[in-house]
């Protein structure tokens, strides 16, 4: 479980806080979606999960451990993260790239039969088993995004966090990605997804946390948060919210 407790973060020389008193939990067995306009603090939240930015106050815990006190290796054993932007320093075979997800458990480039089985399973779950013998610089944007998801799955953690997981994906693969996240949650993982895709969030999330100017503007079930009255005030744009029949 991810627990965010009264978290406030201010970047150096910033006039205001990036996050201010944010509190919520991402439970095992559920998809928790964090949404909000650009600049609302969503990516800062992911950095805080990775302990790459210091809290002014409050804390973030993963399975009871404060990420500010856990080493990077221990964080990686508890939490797999797909960040918004990432490029390898040099091209890798896709199989080797996904195998990096085993590094927190076995060390880089050392795999055994169990690791190989987990990598193969992760590739199949992400729908990239046909890409394993290609190199990362030969992939389309959508293929690269799915390979990155496979690497996170190969970490085999109880908690998964993703920053814009459907970037570069077409409609079919967007749906497939969220269906996979929902399935992972049903099988006991805690899934935290930062997304701009309000329609997909409404359909697949069990809990929605809506950020605005670094604070929680609303939180709860999608039906409670995804209303025109709430969203128009945050996104500052006229919206019509209807239910797909």
């Amino acid at each position: 479980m991810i627990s965010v407790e009264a978290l406030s973060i201010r970047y150096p020389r910033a006039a205001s806080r990036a996050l201010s008193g944010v509190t919520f939990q991402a439970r095992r067995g559920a998809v928790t979606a964090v949404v909000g306009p650009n600049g609302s603090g969503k990516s800062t939240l992911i950095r805080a999960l990775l302990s790459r930015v210091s809290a002014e106050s409050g804390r973030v815990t993963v399975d009871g451990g404060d990420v500010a006190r856990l080493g990077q290796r221990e964080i990686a054993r508890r939490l797999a993260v797909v960040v918004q932007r990432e490029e390898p320093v040099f091209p890798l075979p896709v199989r080797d790239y996904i195998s990096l997800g085993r590094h927190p458990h076995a060390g880089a480039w050392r795999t055994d039969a169990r690791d190989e089985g987990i990598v193969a399973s992760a590739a199949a779950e992400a729908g990239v088993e046909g890409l394993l013998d290609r190199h990362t610089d030969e992939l389309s944007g959508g293929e690269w995004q799915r390979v990155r998801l496979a690497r996170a799955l190969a970490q085999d953690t109880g908690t998964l966090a993703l920053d814009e997981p459907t970037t570069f994906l077409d409609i079919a693969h967007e749906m497939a990605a969220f269906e996979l996240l929902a399935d992972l949650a049903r099988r006991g993982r805690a899934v935290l997804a930062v997304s701009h895709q309000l329609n997909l969030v409404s359909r697949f999330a069990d809990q929605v946390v809506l950020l605005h100017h670094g604070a929680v503007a609303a939180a709860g079930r999608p039906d409670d948060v995804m209303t025109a009255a709430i969203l128009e005030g945050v996104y500052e744009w006229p919206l019509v919210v209807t239910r797909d029949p």
Side-chain angles (χ1 to χ4, degrees):
M1 180 178 77
I2 297 171
S3 181
V4 180
E5 305 169 14
L7 182 66
S8 294
I9 292 173
R10 186 192 301 269
Y11 290 111
R13 296 178 295 281
S16 59
R17 290 171 174 162
L19 292 175
S20 182
V22 171
T23 296
F24 69 89
Q25 290 183 336
R27 308 180 314 277
R28 286 181 180 265
V31 175
T32 299
V34 177
V35 300
N38 292 332
S40 59
K42 302 186 300 300
S43 292
T44 296
L45 182 61
I46 295 294
R47 295 187 191 105
L49 274 173
L50 292 169
S51 193
R52 291 181 179 170
V53 59
S54 298
E56 185 178 70
S57 60
R59 65 175 189 161
V60 179
T61 64
V62 178
D63 292 338
D66 188 335
V67 298
R69 302 187 179 197
L70 298 174
Q72 290 298 314
R73 191 178 184 88
E74 182 58 31
I75 291 174
R77 286 173 175 163
R78 299 177 184 221
L79 171 69
V81 179
V82 179
V83 296
Q84 192 173 123
R85 291 181 294 273
E86 176 187 8
E87 287 293 337
V89 176
F90 52 86
L92 290 172
V94 168
R95 189 187 309 274
D96 290 348
Y97 177 81
I98 297 174
S99 295
L100 291 175
R102 303 305 303 151
H103 173 59
H105 308 283
W109 313 114
R110 297 197 306 274
T111 60
D112 56 22
R114 180 175 180 273
D115 290 323
E116 291 170 2
I118 291 173
V119 167
S121 176
E125 282 190 299
V128 297
E129 60 267 56
L131 304 177
L132 290 174
D133 294 323
R134 292 172 60 184
H135 280 72
T136 53
D137 63 343
E138 299 170 351
L139 304 177
S140 70
E143 289 169 339
W144 173 230
Q145 189 74 345
R146 286 184 284 137
V147 165
R148 294 171 66 225
L149 176 57
R151 186 212 58 205
L153 295 176
Q155 279 182 241
D156 197 27
T157 60
T159 306
L160 182 64
L162 309 99
D163 193 357
E164 300 296 348
T166 57
T167 299
F168 302 120
L169 300 185
D170 57 36
I171 292 173
H173 284 110
E174 284 181 340
M175 291 291 292
F178 266 89
E179 285 179 346
L180 173 58
L181 297 182
D183 183 58
L184 292 169
R186 283 191 295 269
R187 286 188 270 152
R189 277 184 169 98
V191 177
L192 176 67
V194 171
S195 180
H196 281 295
Q197 298 284 7
L198 298 184
N199 288 325
L200 290 172
V201 164
S202 297
R203 178 165 181 168
F204 290 101
D206 299 289
Q207 175 185 221
V208 178
V209 179
L210 176 63
L211 296 180
H212 186 41
H213 296 314
V216 176
R221 296 180 302 116
D223 285 348
D224 298 328
V225 175
M226 299 296 189
T227 68
I230 291 174
L231 295 178
E232 284 185 356
V234 169
Y235 286 91
E236 300 177 359
W237 197 262
L239 294 169
V240 175
V241 179
T242 61
R243 181 175 294 278
D244 187 338

